[in-house]
Amino acid sequence: MKSQLAYFNGLFSAGTKNASASPYSVMVRKEVSDQVRSWRFIVLAGLILLTFLGSMYVSLSNLRQATANAADPDRLFLYLKLLTITDGTLPPFHVFISFLGPLLGIAMGFDAINSEQSNGTLVRLMAQPVYRDSLINAKFTASLIVISTLFLSLSLLMTGGGLMITGVKIEPSELVRILCFTVLSIIYVAFWLNLSILLSVRFRQTATSALTAIAIWLFFTVFYQILVNIIIKAVLPDPNTLTESQIISYNNIILTVLRFVPSQLFTDATTTLLMPSVRSLGPLTMEQMAGAIPAPISVRESLLVVWPQVSGLIAATVVCFALSYYLFMRREIRT
Amino acid sequence: MESPIIEMHGLTKRYGSLKAVDNLHLSIAKGEIFGLLGPNGAGKSTTILMLLGLTEPDAGEARICGLNATRNPIPVKRKVGYLPDNVGFYNDLTALENLSYIARLNGIPEAEVQERSRQMLVEVGLEAAIHKKAGAFSRGMKQRLGLADVLIKQPEVIILDEPTLGIDPAGVRDFLELLRQLNQRQGLTILLSSHHLHQVQQVCNRVGIFVGGQLLAEGNVEKLAANLFNAAPWVVEVTLRTDVPQREALEKELLQLPGVKTVTGAANAVEVSGGEDITPDIVRCFVAKGLDVTGVHKKTYGLDEIYHRYFENNLKEDITNEKSTGLFQRSFLGRYKKR
């Protein structure tokens, strides 16, 4: 009974000013302020803002042509067009994100644990009455909050700017698609964030973990495709000797192999979300295409198409987090 | 004696085949200042980490304030303040911000955090540097901030790992004085580890000598000295102007003197230890042989000698037992720990 009373005491005093926050929320607050004040975040956020403004400028100046193009089934989705069209001088915003997002994630996480350890602050924190996992959870949550705020404000800025400049009403389905794109970008950056946190737990030197994270990123963005192409050329039989169904099955295998890359998953998913007329991410047979009208599909259908990609990204994120959690909990805490 | 506030029963920790801490039994009473003495890699830090539940022991248990440190680390950490060696702070935050972060983590109500942090900084003598960034702090200031960090949670026990490392002598004196005051005014129990023997001698009620993971001796300084040197408590060191000619003959002659146990030394120095104070006889012996004595030094025993003696004995045992691998491993662990 006494313990119950104590529980209620805690419950009622929680709202008053005298209450103390839980260690976890204290840590989150501190980490968020650290991230926001750190130079590398300011630099990267500035970079992303610049590319955002650049690609917005390019797409706004080409908006008239794009919406006038009668052959394009997506021409009426003005706000999605804002995110995707380009005249070739600058890549569209979502391509920039697939490129800069990993850098942002890596920059925010590569020294999460090992800098605390080499500074001697880790032992000091662990000597306080806090659970060890609070720290790694707080690090992840704080970075996630910062990333989410950044992307959400960018997409709202885009929508608002579009409203002001064109004066065209936004369709609910467009809003949903843009929000889904935002969430997807957050998940994508969260994957790289978790990967770099994992490396920061694994390696004692911040330089090692940063370089390893960048190496992984470079491998996936540049070398993986080259490697896959070389292997395919060496292994696959000559396409001229194959039947059509064999070519399709081989194509599917190649696509599956390429989709081990997170950026491929992200690109697949964003294209589908931002271009409503995309209805499949694999090759379609003539029978499947027969009778199909080139028209946009509904949000739900698009989401169904990208669902495997999204769950793949989430799974990769969770695996990285679980690994770093495991390693960190087993870790000897000493300088 | 009052009831023990820190108890260790058969505490053991292995790193691979090396025993960092080997079957440690120790209890420390409330209000005591206990000094844990030992060379680098002796297992002092490991013991402290096990006391705080930051490292799991392989066998045995550590109890603080009646709580098992491995099973209930959070309540233990609420009652114990720990100042690690090489304590670090967030360099971009000011002293006050660093301290109030720790205060919040300890669940101090938000309304009191600022006030208490400020008070604590004044108490450890950092009032001039409250708004200075911790990155600009000197080693001594960091140590003070570390102490404020430890005290802000109002602990019952404070554990300090090498607290005087790298501070200048005046800083050390102030720091130790602060510790003594805390102990007297608030009845805090203090456990500190060090290899700076004289400093430990100044403040500790009791010391434990810790070598190779084992507690070789414990007690106050006088008791330790009595234990160790009842065999040969007197040592006289004689220095000559030139190297000793016919050392063996001289040693033989010295051993003839009443009470002399051992004769050691190299080049132009001779060390004679024995059961009685026969300094005049020794000097006379040298003079009779026509040797030019430039210095005679009678050694008195402080903690330094006690500690050296224990440490030397331990090394000799290792060598006689042909455990040279153990020696190698110990120095390896020392390096590993300091990384």
Side-chain angles (χ1 to χ4, degrees), chain A residues 167-195:
Chain A
V168 178
K169 194 179 74 174
I170 187 165
E171 294 290 328
S173 75
E174 278 181 292
L175 188 65
V176 172
R177 278 171 190 274
I178 288 172
L179 286 182
C180 287
F181 163 71
T182 311
V183 171
L184 197 66
S185 314
I186 294 168
I187 295 173
Y188 179 58
V189 177
F191 164 74
W192 289 99
L193 173 71
N194 267 323
L195 185 70

Side-chain angles (χ1 to χ4, degrees), chain A residues 221-259:
Chain A
T221 37
V222 181
F223 297 110
Y224 187 75
Q225 281 82 348
I226 300 174
L227 213 64
V228 168
N229 280 334
I230 291 172
I231 292 171
I232 285 167
K233 272 201 186 128
V235 173
L236 283 197
D238 182 11
N240 294 331
T241 63
L242 296 176
T243 64
E244 195 185 340
S245 64
Q246 275 174 317
I247 290 179
I248 288 174
S249 72
Y250 276 124
N251 256 333
N252 272 330
I253 294 173
I254 295 168
L255 270 176
T256 315
V257 174
L258 281 177
R259 280 186 189 135

Side-chain angles (χ1 to χ4, degrees), chain A residues 33 83 109 165 212 285 307:
Chain A
S33 79
L83 277 172
I165 292 166
T212 315
T285 58
W307 192 242

Side-chain angles (χ1 to χ4, degrees), chain A residues 18-20 23 26-27 30 37 116 119-121 123-132 332-335, chain B residues 15 46 49 54-55 74 77 82 84 88-90 98 101-102 104-109 111 149 153 337 339:
Chain A
N18 263 342
S20 52
V26 171
M27 281 180 176
K30 189 228 157 224
R37 279 189 222 160
E116 296 256 358
N119 275 341
T121 43
V123 182
R124 185 165 146 254
L125 280 185
M126 288 301 107
Q128 310 308 324
V130 294
Y131 291 104
R132 194 186 279 200
E332 281 279 326
I333 301 286
R334 53 174 25 171
T335 43
Chain B
Y15 288 109
T46 310
L49 289 180
L54 289 176
T55 294
I74 300 291
K77 286 185 210 164
Y82 168 52
F89 298 94
Y90 295 106
N98 262 302
Y101 180 46
I102 294 297
R104 288 196 186 100
L105 285 183
N106 276 291
I108 292 170
D149 227 43
K153 61 165 101 163
K337 278 181 61 177
R339 245 199 322 180

Side-chain angles (χ1 to χ4, degrees), chain A residues 61-310:
Chain A
S61 46
N62 290 291
L63 198 59
R64 186 184 302 274
Q65 289 164 327
T67 45
N69 181 5
D72 184 359
D74 295 339
R75 66 180 181 282
L76 293 176
F77 291 93
L78 187 88
Y79 291 90
L80 300 182
K81 280 283 152 212
L82 266 183
L83 277 172
T84 48
I85 51 171
T86 169
D87 59 357
T89 48
L90 264 186
F93 185 58
H94 68 98
V95 175
F96 265 125
I97 290 297
S98 80
F99 188 73
L100 286 177
L103 269 187
L104 182 66
I106 290 170
M108 293 182 84
F110 76 92
D111 63 348
I113 301 296
N114 49 13
S115 76
E116 296 256 358
Q117 187 153 20
S118 57
N119 275 341
T121 43
L122 186 61
V123 182
R124 185 165 146 254
L125 280 185
M126 288 301 107
Q128 310 308 324
V130 294
Y131 291 104
R132 194 186 279 200
D133 56 345
S134 306
L135 179 66
I136 195 163
N137 292 346
K139 292 253 177 205
F140 174 63
T141 320
S143 304
L144 206 61
I145 289 173
V146 174
I147 295 169
S148 311
T149 316
L150 177 69
F151 281 126
L152 204 64
S153 34
L154 280 185
S155 49
L156 290 180
L157 196 67
M158 194 277 292
T159 329
L163 271 176
M164 296 253 296
I165 292 166
T166 63
V168 178
K169 194 179 74 174
I170 187 165
E171 294 290 328
S173 75
E174 278 181 292
L175 188 65
V176 172
R177 278 171 190 274
I178 288 172
L179 286 182
C180 287
F181 163 71
T182 311
V183 171
L184 197 66
S185 314
I186 294 168
I187 295 173
Y188 179 58
V189 177
F191 164 74
W192 289 99
L193 173 71
N194 267 323
L195 185 70
S196 61
I197 289 181
L198 171 64
L199 294 171
S200 86
V201 176
R202 178 66 191 76
F203 296 114
R204 277 170 183 272
Q205 304 290 335
T206 50
T208 318
S209 63
L211 284 176
T212 315
I214 287 177
I216 293 173
W217 170 62
L218 271 182
F219 173 76
F220 276 144
T221 37
V222 181
F223 297 110
Y224 187 75
Q225 281 82 348
I226 300 174
L227 213 64
V228 168
N229 280 334
I230 291 172
I231 292 171
I232 285 167
K233 272 201 186 128
V235 173
L236 283 197
D238 182 11
N240 294 331
T241 63
L242 296 176
T243 64
E244 195 185 340
S245 64
Q246 275 174 317
I247 290 179
I248 288 174
S249 72
Y250 276 124
N251 256 333
N252 272 330
I253 294 173
I254 295 168
L255 270 176
T256 315
V257 174
L258 281 177
R259 280 186 189 135
F260 284 122
V261 186
S263 62
Q264 183 68 37
L265 293 180
F266 177 72
T267 317
D268 281 0
T270 43
T271 342
T272 316
L273 278 174
L274 296 180
M275 299 176 184
S277 58
V278 174
R279 41 183 67 207
S280 165
L281 289 163
L284 290 175
T285 58
M286 286 312 283
E287 295 91 72
Q288 284 171 308
M289 284 300 283
I293 307 159
I297 55 176
S298 72
V299 178
R300 191 175 164 276
E301 301 290 329
S302 284
L303 280 178
L304 279 179
V305 172
V306 299
W307 192 242
Q309 270 75 6
V310 175

Side-chain angles (χ1 to χ4, degrees), chain B residues 89-117:
Chain B
F89 298 94
Y90 295 106
N91 292 336
D92 297 337
L93 301 184
T94 65
L96 187 66
E97 285 167 336
N98 262 302
L99 190 58
S100 39
Y101 180 46
I102 294 297
R104 288 196 186 100
L105 285 183
N106 276 291
I108 292 170
E110 190 58 42
E112 294 173 29
V113 165
Q114 291 293 323
E115 186 49 37
R116 252 167 83 174
S117 308

